[in-house]
Amino acid sequence: MGHIVHNWKARWFILRQNTLLYYKLEGGRRVTPPKGRIVLDGCTITCPCLEYENRPLLIKLKTRTSTEYFLEACSREERDSWAFEITGAIHAGQPGKIQQLHILKNSFKLPPHISLHRIVDKMHDTSSGIRPSPNMEQGSTYKKTFLGSSLVDWLISSNFAASRLEAVTLASMLMEENFLRPVGVRSMGAIRSGDLAEQFLDDSTALYTFAESYKKKVSPKEEISLSTMELSGTVVKQGYLSKQGHKRKNWKVRRFVLRKDPAFLHYYDPSKEENRPVGGFSLRGSLVSALEDNGVPTGVKGNVQGNLFKVITKDDTHYYIQASSKAERAEWIEAIKKLT
């Protein structure tokens, strides 16, 4: 982007040890001498840079003298490759920093306590959130959607993730907990493939949107009153059980709490400090039954077998749960049956 007139021009860039040179292009060839140079010593780099909504492939360089340069790549891969090499040149005199950058590029270390609600609230922020817009895939237009790669960029730029691998994992968690849903052939195909590692696509052709459950936000008073009603019952039984997820079908340990008057079964994430359930359902009209112990029952994903039982709610949602022993399973089934 030009400094005087803020228009965009094609430039040929050459990265040297401490300098980024750029040249005019004429007839597909660079014109010497260089049009300009960016001294990298003392520079800071921002990538992804989301300051221009309609230009998602930007790198921002800020020099020691606070001059800002905005560079746009042709693809996400090219942008990230340039950003990685430029960052290495900025820290060329610090071997330890270079090693740290190589580790960070493929890092995977999410914070132990992640609030998905906080991330989604931030995504909806009108000034700094991610803005859904119409996108086209295979001739069809999908309103209020965003690209998989754009969400990954946003999670990194908002400091929720340090690498693309972490951001993809976070995005998968948001899908699993029904904050996001896939839209269109590309992203829906990834879900149907059953490959857990590839269910969320860091791709500019995969479309996603906010799940209806989040868009239909109730007022704080309604939310409090609903939670108070659900959680007002007397605790009948509680304990740790494994539960199969609805989206990714992976198994997680949850603390289950069974209440009566009204009859609800809630489950909590033991890794979170906040004492709010991450899910739950009414037991009125539900069915509960033990699953066979020989082999993996129908509907159960992975090599999980033994001490399993299933709860089918009134709206035909299936919950697959595993106890630690046959005796524990029998106790839970008996307690739930009394409240259905």
Side-chain angles (χ1 to χ4, degrees):
M1 186 178 76
H3 281 289
I4 307 300
V5 180
H6 289 177
N7 56 351
W8 296 83
K9 297 176 181 177
R11 294 287 185 251
W12 181 268
F13 281 81
I14 294 179
L15 177 62
R16 291 187 175 165
Q17 186 171 1
N18 192 38
T19 310
L20 188 60
L21 304 174
Y22 54 95
Y23 300 78
K24 273 188 174 183
L25 273 177
E26 288 183 5
R29 295 183 178 182
R30 62 188 171 106
V31 178
T32 55
K35 177 72 176 171
R37 66 185 65 228
I38 304 170
V39 177
L40 297 177
D41 185 35
C43 256
T44 57
I45 182 170
T46 303
C47 180
C49 172
L50 305 181
E51 293 188 26
Y52 291 84
E53 185 181 351
N54 61 338
R55 295 183 182 273
L57 301 175
L58 290 183
I59 297 170
K60 176 183 175 182
L61 292 174
K62 187 174 183 178
T63 67
R64 182 172 279 176
T65 58
S66 296
T67 303
E68 293 183 343
Y69 294 88
F70 292 92
L71 318 176
E72 184 176 33
C74 295
S75 68
R76 194 265 294 171
E77 292 78 12
E78 185 181 48
R79 179 201 64 188
D80 291 352
S81 176
W82 271 99
F84 186 72
E85 297 298 337
I86 291 171
T87 305
I90 290 172
H91 300 289
Q94 303 168 270
K97 186 73 174 180
I98 299 296
Q99 184 181 11
Q100 185 181 353
L101 287 169
H102 280 276
I103 295 170
L104 183 62
K105 188 178 182 183
N106 296 305
S107 73
F108 185 82
K109 188 180 180 182
L110 291 171
H113 302 294
I114 296 174
S115 171
L116 297 183
H117 286 275
R118 177 172 169 263
I119 294 175
V120 177
D121 284 341
K122 184 78 171 175
M123 288 174 70
H124 280 80
D125 189 281
T126 53
S127 60
S128 60
I130 188 164
R131 297 181 183 178
S133 60
N135 285 285
M136 184 172 285
E137 183 193 22
Q138 295 188 7
S140 299
T141 300
Y142 299 93
K143 297 180 179 179
K144 296 184 178 180
T145 57
F146 40 84
L147 309 178
S149 56
S150 296
L151 177 56
V152 170
D153 283 349
W154 183 87
L155 288 168
I156 295 171
S157 67
S158 301
N159 296 318
F160 288 117
S163 69
R164 302 195 79 81
L165 179 60
E166 289 183 9
V168 167
T169 303
L170 263 185
S172 299
M173 292 167 66
L174 290 168
M175 277 209 307
E176 182 184 342
E177 299 298 334
N178 293 321
F179 290 113
L180 303 178
R181 65 181 179 86
V183 177
V185 177
R186 184 90 169 86
S187 55
M188 289 296 293
I191 290 290
R192 295 191 188 102
S193 73
D195 184 352
L196 301 184
E198 294 294 334
Q199 287 205 341
F200 183 89
L201 299 177
D202 179 8
D203 194 305
S204 60
T205 63
L207 303 180
Y208 298 88
T209 189
F210 292 111
E212 292 295 329
S213 59
Y214 188 90
K215 283 193 281 187
K216 296 175 182 174
K217 290 182 74 174
V218 296
S219 70
K221 285 185 179 178
E222 288 174 329
E223 187 178 357
I224 290 168
S225 122
L226 176 66
S227 299
T228 303
M229 184 276 292
E230 285 189 10
L231 303 174
S232 63
T234 304
V235 175
V236 175
K237 184 174 178 60
Q238 58 182 310
Y240 289 93
L241 300 166
S242 291
K243 173 187 164 294
Q244 180 176 275
H246 286 291
K247 291 288 184 183
R248 294 181 67 190
K249 308 298 182 187
N250 55 346
W251 288 81
K252 293 181 180 178
V253 174
R254 294 289 186 244
R255 180 171 65 87
F256 280 79
V257 178
L258 180 64
R259 293 180 172 89
K260 67 176 182 178
D261 302 324
F264 273 87
L265 183 61
H266 291 100
Y267 47 94
Y268 299 73
D269 186 343
S271 69
K272 293 181 179 177
E273 295 178 0
E274 56 190 31
N275 193 31
R276 285 186 61 82
V278 294
F281 49 90
S282 170
L283 290 172
R284 291 300 178 198
S286 295
L287 298 173
V288 58
S289 60
L291 298 177
E292 64 271 17
D293 289 329
N294 296 323
V296 180
T298 303
V300 173
K301 299 297 181 182
N303 189 25
V304 177
Q305 50 188 300
N307 309 319
L308 293 162
F309 64 98
K310 176 171 68 172
V311 180
I312 305 175
T313 65
K314 192 175 182 180
D315 62 0
D316 200 35
T317 302
H318 292 223
Y319 290 85
Y320 294 93
I321 302 169
Q322 184 180 43
S324 61
S325 66
K326 287 185 179 179
E328 185 182 46
R329 176 177 65 179
E331 289 173 8
W332 273 101
I333 291 174
E334 183 63 27
I336 292 170
K337 275 184 176 177
K338 290 180 180 178
L339 301 178
T340 58

